[in-house]
Amino acid sequence: MSATRSAAPASGHGDGPAQPATALRSPALTGRVRVPGDKSVSHRALIFGLFAEGITRITGLLEGEDVLNTAKACAALGARVTRRGPGEWEVEGAGADGLSSPAAPLDFGNSGTGVRLMMGAVAGQDVTATFDGDASLRRRPMKRVLDPLTAMGVEIVDSAEGGRLPLTLKGSDRTKAITYETPMPSAQVKSAVLLAGLGAAGETVVIEREATRDHTERMLAHFGADVRVEPHGAHGRRIALKGRPTLVAAPVDVPADPSSAAFPLVAALIVPGSDVTLTDVMMNPLRTGLITTLLEMGASIEVVAERTEGGERVADLRVRHSRLKGVEVPPERAPAMIDEYPILAVAAAFAEGVTAMRGLSELRVKESDRLAAVADGLAACGVAHEVVGDDLLVTGATTVKGGGPVATHMDHRIAMSFLVLGLASEQGVSVDDVAFIATSFPTFMPMMRGLGAVIS
Ligand code: S3P
């Protein structure tokens, strides 16, 4: 066992005292807000900035802990990363072949996206790096990324049991281009292979049976790589990347994160009298499964001023309190709303009838086992539900008791979801720890309070 393997968990909220909080039944929520920048786009903007020649200027970057850890990792790998103002960052790239081995382990805190994408980035370079994270990230599977990366030529120098963190990879600037069909729908796995493919001589191909968020492909093209995306089967895609491109710095304007917007959005739907507008929300069709589902449930969501900004569709969303009804959510929609099931389960708690969410196996390997965490939280709040295999069935009611404390398991989305439930519940909802909300939505509490939510 190396020194790294026996090291204490990397720093982050895993170490600090838990911060409990309570959300109480609230008056109508009203106002107009812009939630922080998209987490997926923010990670990628920094990583592409690292590889590019020149200075990448980013506006609207999410300044949450997950992304800040990626920024630190980019700096440790050779980029010059500078914060110019709120959300305004510059990355002076190391350029192709310019990455250097970091002196200390890279700490990704709570972030699966940060660590998995960066493993891909290192794989195609002549670099050795150690990857680590908090207790939640140390439990998550990394084999899904290590399998294709080892096929491409990366060497696993050391790892914890089962290929988990902490682990050390030795990349190679002579990686093999491969054709890889992802065994599960995962944008992180796809992105890791494509980033490793930047260092390979030939064409790297990723085939996905179900299309997942395509921010990596879009950004590859934006920074000048030769990338072709074609449909594959009924729901999938084939992505082909020509290796060893010269990436050139390009500006990135990060739109508001639809996965963060989901929380005030559902809060407005379930708190009587609410009327909230969420501005600049990214409407990439591979991210809008929640909106599709809520519209089917009868939600009043008006899509206003839809436009294209920085290569992504964005819109303002006007959301009003609505009477919802239960629906079937088909498994093929999961990739377009994978992070939104906890908050959809909250909406479903207030809908008439049963909402059946199918095919949620990937929820078990998120920041927590989200299927179990949601089910336990619903039970603590008096919401009728059932887990059948990988399906979650929630039976809604006009009144929901509330309760708690809900165990959040180091998972930001579990914390935010159950606080939102509390706003429309009879007794309020307490959660055991809100510290991890800072990973993705550091302004959640003040922003919700600004809309009228009673949370403390
Ligand atoms: C992400 C991909 C998804 C998602 C995560 C962000 C990304 O994970 O849950 O929050 O930015 O690529 P998987 O690739 O594991 O589905």
Side-chain angles (χ1 to χ4, degrees):
M1 188 186 277
S2 72
T4 322
R5 277 184 66 191
S6 57
S11 62
H13 277 305
D15 308 331
Q19 298 171 26
T22 302
L24 297 177
R25 190 178 184 84
S26 297
L29 306 179
T30 54
R32 191 180 164 85
V33 288
R34 187 194 201 273
V35 301
D38 186 70
K39 183 153 68 70
S40 295
V41 173
S42 295
H43 282 296
R44 287 160 173 83
L46 292 166
I47 294 171
F48 279 95
L50 162 67
F51 276 110
E53 283 176 10
I55 298 178
T56 293
R57 293 190 170 80
I58 308 169
T59 52
L61 188 86
L62 166 63
E63 294 176 331
E65 287 172 3
D66 281 8
V67 173
L68 297 178
N69 282 326
T70 292
K72 282 186 207 145
C74 288
L77 286 160
R80 191 196 297 261
V81 183
T82 315
R83 184 177 190 264
R84 293 282 176 214
E88 280 178 40
W89 289 66
E90 282 179 8
V91 184
E92 191 177 334
D97 308 324
L99 270 64
S100 44
S101 296
L106 302 173
D107 175 5
F108 290 91
N110 196 246
S111 178
T113 307
V115 78
R116 293 190 179 122
L117 266 57
M118 220 43 131
M119 284 198 258
V122 160
Q125 304 289 317
D126 194 9
V127 160
T128 299
T130 298
F131 299 81
D132 203 358
D134 67 14
S136 155
L137 196 56
R138 282 183 170 198
R139 281 192 290 268
R140 296 180 68 184
M142 296 299 147
K143 194 174 170 297
R144 52 180 57 202
V145 173
L146 296 176
D147 283 348
L149 295 185
T150 44
M152 295 176 85
V154 73
E155 189 189 322
I156 305 169
V157 178
D158 195 11
S159 81
E161 213 180 313
R164 288 187 161 71
L165 301 183
L167 65 82
T168 301
L169 296 185
K170 184 175 175 349
S172 160
D173 54 7
R174 277 191 290 271
T175 37
K176 280 202 299 283
I178 59 168
T179 294
Y180 190 69
E181 182 164 339
T182 50
M184 72 292 290
S186 168
Q188 293 174 3
V189 175
K190 167 177 66 179
S191 301
V193 175
L194 291 172
L195 286 166
L198 288 174
E203 190 176 65
T204 295
V205 177
V206 180
I207 295 170
E208 44 182 12
R209 264 168 290 171
E210 291 164 275
T212 62
R213 64 191 70 196
D214 59 358
H215 310 302
T216 299
E217 298 89 301
R218 285 169 184 267
M219 224 173 270
L220 279 167
H222 186 57
F223 279 74
D226 184 345
V227 60
R228 272 175 299 118
V229 182
E230 293 163 4
H232 178 84
H235 307 288
R237 288 189 173 174
R238 178 185 190 276
I239 302 113
L241 169 70
K242 276 224 177 77
R244 308 228 170 123
T246 301
L247 296 181
V248 182
V252 180
D253 189 10
V254 185
D257 193 330
S259 299
S260 297
F263 300 104
L265 193 161
V266 169
L269 291 175
I270 62 175
V271 175
S274 296
D275 187 347
V276 168
T277 297
L278 302 156
T279 63
D280 301 333
V281 180
M282 181 161 65
M283 296 293 281
N284 180 314
L286 293 165
R287 299 288 300 280
T288 48
L290 176 74
I291 294 175
T292 306
T293 304
L294 291 170
L295 289 172
E296 288 173 4
M297 293 172 80
S300 170
I301 304 172
E302 213 181 308
V303 179
V304 188
E306 195 164 354
R307 58 211 184 262
T308 300
E309 274 176 18
E312 288 284 5
R313 297 299 287 166
V314 298
D316 299 342
L317 303 176
R318 183 174 181 193
V319 188
R320 279 172 273 196
H321 172 249
S322 306
R323 287 171 68 141
L324 302 174
K325 59 177 195 309
V327 295
E328 278 280 325
V329 189
E332 61 273 14
R333 197 177 291 161
M337 56 177 296
I338 193 65
D339 291 334
E340 280 68 77
Y341 285 101
I343 192 64
L344 176 62
V346 169
F350 294 87
E352 189 190 329
V354 176
T355 298
M357 300 163 235
R358 309 279 184 199
L360 308 187
S361 58
E362 277 295 302
L363 284 200
R364 297 188 193 275
V365 289
K366 295 296 177 187
E367 286 82 332
S368 66
D369 175 346
R370 276 192 185 150
L371 195 45
V374 169
D376 291 349
L378 292 173
C381 295
V383 178
H385 67 281
E386 220 183 326
V387 176
V388 184
D390 293 332
D391 299 347
L392 172 64
L393 288 80
V394 177
T395 304
T398 42
T399 57
V400 173
K401 186 164 65 60
V406 170
T408 54
H409 301 286
M410 305 177 80
D411 189 328
H412 53 133
R413 299 199 200 281
I414 298 298
M416 289 186 277
S417 296
F418 283 95
L419 288 174
V420 166
L421 191 149
L423 303 177
S425 68
E426 291 180 318
Q427 302 174 3
V429 170
S430 62
V431 301
D432 66 355
D433 194 4
V434 293
F436 288 86
I437 294 176
T439 61
S440 70
F441 196 164
T443 52
F444 173 79
M445 298 288 235
M447 190 176 281
M448 293 304 293
R449 283 191 206 112
L451 293 172
V454 183
I455 309 183
S456 55

